[in-house]
Structure formats: structure tokens, C-alpha cells
Amino acid sequence: MARLKVAVLISGRGSNLAALIEACAAPGFPAEIITVISNEPDAYGLKRARAAGIAATIVNHSAFPSRAEFEAALGEAIRAAGAELVCLAGFMRLLSEGFAREWRDRLINIHPSLLPAFRGLNTHARMIEAGVRFAGCTVHFVRTEMDAGPIIVQAAVPVRQDDTPETLAERTLAAEHRIYPLALRLIAEGRVRVVHEVVHIDGAAPAEAVVLNPLEA
Ligand code: GAR
């Protein structure tokens, strides 16, 4: 069966990109990454992509006079590659309503919190300050508001008494690396439907879209 063609958009380190590359390399995985695009010329993720033999390009936002022109170039690069799905993986530019509309239900993002709680930046520090007992991460379809849209997969990550934003981020990242490939697989298998802005997964086992990260020993 033809594999789903995926574009991954990054801005930095690209550890989620690496998790997706690894998943796609497994025999029988139903998706393939055909291009990686970074808005930051120095993003380390570009090196990871090239090392894996994936075409990697830069669409530098600061080289464009407006967001509309940046997004037009971005859209052009995605379409030219022939992508059917776009994965935002630490892509730190807000996308406009028009872009989200054009790619509706074909554009997904990973965010380091249990959405709809803790949208935005500095999630780990804000969660520790709020005293929540569970942090986590979410893969969701992108809508026009930031870090919002139908939830595909979530992982819960317990917060420890002695956590710092750094230790919590590190533990959450390990969960991100599990759920992003899981969400991609479910979509590529054609099992994900958005019904009234809620995701239904065809034939899913009761907890297939839930990942619990037990407290480490
Ligand atoms: C990840 O923790 C991702 O969830 C977060 O940026 C990091 C990127 O790391 N994304 C957001 O905060 C989006 N709102 P990575 O470059 O190593 O994948």
C-alpha cells in the first residue's frame, strides 16, 4: 500500500522529528517523510534530516516582508514536495487562519501539555507553579487558535515533587517521542476521523490513543 507522504516542519533541535524518522524507518510503517522544512537556518533538525537522507530545506521567515508571503513560500515548498500531511514538530511560528484552513485536518502539532490546559510557551514551569500532579503532551489537529484543535493522542506524565522545568520537560519529551509516531500511524492507517471537532479512531482498542507514563523506579 502507498505510504502517506509527510512534510515535517521544525524550528530547532528536532528530537520529535528524529522519533518520526525512526518510526518511518520501521518495515511496514504506513507513512514516509518526504521533506523537512525549517524556518530557522541553523536548526539542528536539518542535520538530522539530511543524515537520514531526507530532503531538508529552509524557508526563513525573516527573509519575507510579511507573514502572508512567508506562508505562501512555506505552502509552495510543502506542495512541491507532494506532501499529504504536515506535522509541526517544534515549529515555533504561528500560522495564520488561511494556512490552517487550507490544511484543515491535514495539519497536526505536538504540544507539551495535556491540552486544553497550558497552551502557549513555558508549559513546564507554569505546570510546576500551578501544582498540577499530571503534566503530559498532546498531538492534535491544528485550528486557528494557538495550541487548539481536535485531540488525537495524549500521554500523561506524573509531576514529581522535586521536578524542575528541565526535568519535567525531559520526561515529557520521552512521552512526546512515543505519541507522535503513534498519532502519525493512526492517521496514515486512515483510522482517524474528526466528527464535530472530536477525533474518532476507527477500530481502536479502548486505550489506544492514551499513553500513561508510569512513575519511573
Ligand atoms: C517539544 O517539546 C514540542 O512539544 C514543543 O517544542 C519542543 C520541540 O522539541 N512544541 C511547542 O511548544 C509547540 N507549542 P524538538 O525540536 O526536540 O522536537
Side-chain angles (χ1 to χ4, degrees), residues 33-139:
I33 300 169
I34 52 161
T35 189
V36 171
I37 303 169
S38 173
N39 67 301
E40 294 285 354
D42 298 330
Y44 183 68
L46 289 166
K47 289 197 178 72
R48 296 187 199 259
R50 290 179 185 134
I54 299 168
T57 53
I58 298 160
V59 180
N60 185 348
H61 61 279
S62 56
F64 296 89
S66 68
R67 185 160 73 166
E69 282 152 284
F70 165 60
E71 288 185 359
L74 200 57
E76 183 48 40
I78 296 167
R79 275 189 300 275
E84 299 163 297
L85 179 80
V86 179
C87 295
L88 306 181
F91 182 72
M92 300 315 237
R93 302 299 300 176
L94 282 178
L95 293 167
S96 70
E97 204 173 323
F99 193 93
R101 212 178 307 113
E102 183 183 348
W103 291 91
R104 191 181 174 90
D105 296 348
R106 296 181 299 147
L107 174 62
I108 64 176
N109 178 46
I110 187 153
H111 180 74
S113 77
L114 288 172
L115 290 175
F118 298 101
R119 293 170 175 167
L121 297 174
N122 304 318
T123 52
H124 310 100
R126 288 190 288 131
M127 284 187 272
I128 289 171
E129 194 162 305
V132 298
R133 296 306 193 225
F134 282 99
C137 47
T138 304
V139 180

Side-chain angles (χ1 to χ4, degrees), residues 10-17 48 89-92 109-113 120-121 123-124 137 146-147 169 172-173 176-177:
I10 60 167
S11 298
R13 174 178 62 179
S15 72
N16 277 290
L17 166 67
R48 296 187 199 259
F91 182 72
M92 300 315 237
N109 178 46
I110 187 153
H111 180 74
S113 77
L121 297 174
T123 52
H124 310 100
C137 47
M146 182 183 58
D147 299 325
T172 303
L173 202 59
E176 294 183 37
H177 298 163

